[in-house]
Amino acid sequence: MMKKIRFVLLSLMNLFLFLSTLGLGTMAMAESVLNVYIGTNYIANDTIKRLEKECHCRVEQNYFNANEEMLAKIAAGATGYNVIVPTSYAVNELIKMNKLKALDLSKLTNLKYIDPHFLNQSYDPGNHYSVPYAYTPVFLAYNQDKMKELGIEPNSWAVIFDPQYLEKLKGRVTVFDSSRNVFAAALLYLGKDPNSTNPDDIQAAADVIQKASPYWEKYDSDSYYRSLLRGDIWISMSYSIDIFKTLQDMKNSHSNIHIGAMLQKEGNMYELDSLVIPVFTPDENLSYEFINNALDPQSAYELSTFTGASIPNTDALKKLSPSITSIDWIYPKDLNKMHVFNAYDPTTRRLVNGLWTQIQMAH
């Protein structure tokens, strides 16, 4: 009798273990995955770990190098993302494509930490579809020793557009492979609205770019900072997050190249990146969890210290070291001279794209 009881008990225990193992396997298979479509190195590892713990999910980052690349992929039918991180004009494009969900701002309790200056932008009045994440100023970075040797102060966009400077810099200049950035810089150099849709202004900017481009080594938005670090390029249109990392690399490698950076007196653009929820999100609750976590002061603090990104989070800014907040090409002192990109209307977009193609073909 005892043998039978032991046999039954052992059988029940084995069955329980089997069912438990099966249950754990099923749970693992059913693990929630939060897919984010974002630029490379644009969120801190500690932030990801904390979010995964809080939402009991796994965060998968899917990367894009340019907003145009992201827009083309979404327009072609890509789905599956919970959150996308586009810049200003790309938010407007996604809205026009009917690809974004209207936000329930009551679910985003951490929105209270965002500086009002960065809310209610023209590309999304009332923040119906987007909330600010971070911003990245665009300016000139340069080889300090070469600029001193040539007697050039890179405090004006004239340095990359005016032949009197370019004669000294020929073959040592890079600009972004981005019509929006290059046209905006040319318009600022001409003293015009960098978001102008006036055909005469755009043609004037194209003429300036056309005359300057033979002096430029290449159009490069991705690896220009490596060329600066090697000393191959002496001056380049730059993003703050790239130069922040480049200066760290320069220090760690004990490089004999000394890189400087500064804003330009005519004004500068900055890419204000936002958090949006696409209409095809597989889990809206996870989308809101991610966004609210990204708006948390601790996440913003980690983002700035990890990447050098400029953050619009007022509480996080108080925690940052003055060694970061005092750098004006990361945190500009005069925001009135900083401009956000507006979306082009279809006619202006076709005009700029056509002129840009002609310029690049002639380069």
Side-chain angles (χ1 to χ4, degrees):
M1 183 67 178
M2 291 299 294
K3 287 183 178 179
K4 284 186 177 181
I5 292 173
R6 283 199 299 272
F7 177 80
V8 170
L9 287 172
L10 284 170
S11 298
L12 287 171
M13 288 175 64
N14 288 333
L15 178 61
F16 175 77
L17 289 170
F18 173 76
L19 291 173
S20 298
T21 304
L22 182 63
L24 288 171
T26 303
M27 285 173 64
M29 289 175 62
E31 179 186 30
S32 296
V33 177
L34 197 162
N35 282 291
V36 184
Y37 201 17
I38 191 171
T40 310
N41 295 323
Y42 209 18
I43 186 167
N45 292 333
D46 288 345
T47 303
I48 292 291
K49 290 175 184 176
R50 188 171 57 258
L51 176 61
E52 289 181 329
K53 184 177 180 180
E54 291 175 1
C55 73
H56 306 290
C57 67
R58 176 166 50 85
V59 176
E60 287 286 343
Q61 296 185 67
N62 307 268
Y63 303 116
F64 60 87
N65 292 319
N67 279 272
E68 289 73 16
E69 172 191 337
M70 177 272 296
L71 289 169
K73 190 170 181 180
I74 299 301
T79 61
Y81 306 120
N82 296 84
V83 175
I84 304 175
V85 188
T87 201
S88 55
Y89 66 90
V91 171
N92 190 273
E93 293 296 331
L94 289 168
I95 294 171
K96 290 178 181 177
M97 291 160 59
N98 296 314
K99 296 293 186 179
L100 299 185
K101 275 184 173 290
L103 295 176
D104 180 352
L105 298 182
S106 68
K107 294 181 179 180
L108 299 174
T109 54
N110 288 331
L111 190 60
K112 64 187 177 186
Y113 297 115
I114 301 300
D115 184 338
H117 177 88
F118 298 95
L119 299 172
N120 197 36
Q121 297 289 324
S122 61
Y123 58 84
D124 182 20
N127 294 97
H128 293 302
Y129 296 94
S130 66
V131 291
Y133 176 60
Y135 62 100
T136 308
V138 178
F139 50 84
L140 294 177
Y142 52 89
N143 184 310
Q144 290 181 321
D145 295 329
K146 291 296 181 181
M147 292 302 106
K148 185 177 180 180
E149 180 184 319
L150 296 171
I152 296 175
E153 178 75 4
N155 65 346
S156 168
W157 289 112
V159 174
I160 64 168
F161 290 120
D162 191 326
Q164 71 167 310
Y165 298 105
L166 290 173
E167 288 288 349
K168 301 177 182 179
L169 296 167
K170 187 171 184 178
R172 302 290 187 170
V173 181
T174 63
V175 298
F176 286 164
D177 189 9
S178 161
S179 61
R180 286 308 310 262
N181 274 290
V182 178
F183 268 82
L187 286 164
L188 285 167
Y189 164 66
L190 292 170
K192 300 181 183 297
D193 177 2
N195 284 304
S196 177
T197 58
N198 183 317
D200 292 337
D201 290 348
I202 291 171
Q203 185 60 59
D207 292 342
V208 165
I209 297 167
Q210 189 80 58
K211 290 176 183 176
S213 62
Y215 296 94
W216 299 339
E217 174 61 18
K218 58 181 175 177
Y219 297 89
D220 183 2
S221 305
D222 301 322
S223 61
Y224 64 91
Y225 52 91
R226 296 191 187 98
S227 299
L228 277 171
L229 194 54
R230 289 195 302 267
D232 301 336
I233 292 299
W234 296 347
I235 192 160
S236 179
M237 183 177 282
S238 303
Y239 286 122
S240 57
I241 55 176
D242 289 337
I243 299 306
F244 178 82
K245 184 178 185 303
T246 301
L247 291 177
Q248 290 180 320
D249 292 344
M250 181 180 71
K251 184 178 179 180
N252 293 336
S253 66
H254 306 290
S255 171
N256 59 358
I257 302 292
H258 302 101
I259 295 171
M262 66 172 60
L263 300 174
Q264 282 52 63
K265 62 184 180 182
E266 300 91 348
N268 296 74
M269 304 304 293
Y270 68 97
E271 297 193 0
L272 179 55
D273 297 322
S274 298
L275 299 156
V276 301
I277 301 177
V279 292
F280 47 73
T281 175
D283 188 328
E284 189 172 314
N285 290 330
L286 274 183
S287 300
Y288 276 105
E289 280 199 67
F290 179 90
I291 293 178
N292 211 39
N293 184 281
L295 296 175
D296 183 88
Q298 181 61 27
S299 298
Y301 171 80
E302 290 164 353
L303 175 67
S304 187
T305 53
F306 175 66
T307 69
S310 310
I311 52 173
N313 191 300
T314 53
D315 275 40
L317 276 169
K318 295 172 186 175
K319 296 172 59 180
L320 287 175
S321 166
S323 64
I324 294 178
T325 56
S326 63
I327 300 173
D328 67 349
W329 48 266
I330 298 180
Y331 291 101
K333 304 301 181 288
D334 186 1
L335 287 175
N336 291 321
K337 297 187 75 173
M338 302 299 296
H339 307 272
V340 177
F341 288 103
N342 295 335
Y344 279 151
D345 59 83
T347 301
T348 302
R349 190 186 309 113
R350 285 193 295 271
L351 174 61
V352 171
N353 287 347
L355 291 168
W356 184 244
T357 300
Q358 292 175 24
I359 290 166
Q360 290 201 308
M361 287 179 66
H363 186 261

